[in-house]
Amino acid sequence: MTGAIFEFRRLIGGRVLGSFLLGTYHRPRREERIVMFLDIAGSTALAERLGELRVHDLITRFFFDIDRPIADHDGEVHSYVGDEVIVT
């Protein structure tokens, strides 16, 4: 159960999960946000050179490596798309 909660937090963000658990998720509020798109430059050429399995492992490590710095600076991962992560 604990692992599921941590994974759910990683997928939707700690702030959203906290709001959901506290029952405040459906109370909208105005926020100023910055949207940042991060991706691996040249990932298609990299996949052709290394192969899809090695690039998949690289992308997975990339996502796990950037999760902590994003959370440390009160950022939230909005979504993962291919080799891209969308952060607010």
Side-chain angles (χ1 to χ4, degrees):
M1 185 65 169
T2 303
I5 290 172
F6 281 112
E7 185 65 18
F8 194 59
R9 180 183 168 269
R10 189 182 70 78
L11 290 173
I12 68 167
R15 189 178 303 166
V16 173
L17 179 60
S19 294
F20 180 75
L21 294 174
L22 294 172
T24 59
Y25 182 76
H26 297 291
R27 295 183 203 140
R29 68 175 191 227
R30 183 177 296 264
E31 294 181 338
E32 285 192 33
R33 295 275 181 139
I34 295 172
V35 178
M36 180 170 54
F37 302 89
L38 301 168
D39 73 341
I40 299 173
S43 63
T44 301
L46 194 60
E48 291 171 353
R49 269 197 338 267
L50 299 177
E52 63 274 358
L53 293 178
R54 288 180 64 197
V55 169
H56 181 271
D57 290 341
L58 175 72
I59 291 170
T60 300
R61 284 196 315 262
F62 167 66
F63 288 158
F64 280 106
D65 288 346
I66 62 169
D67 271 350
R68 177 57 39 211
I70 290 168
D72 288 347
H73 295 287
D74 296 324
E76 292 181 32
V77 173
H78 177 69
S79 66
Y80 300 98
V81 181
D83 69 329
E84 176 182 73
V85 61
I86 303 171
V87 179
T88 60

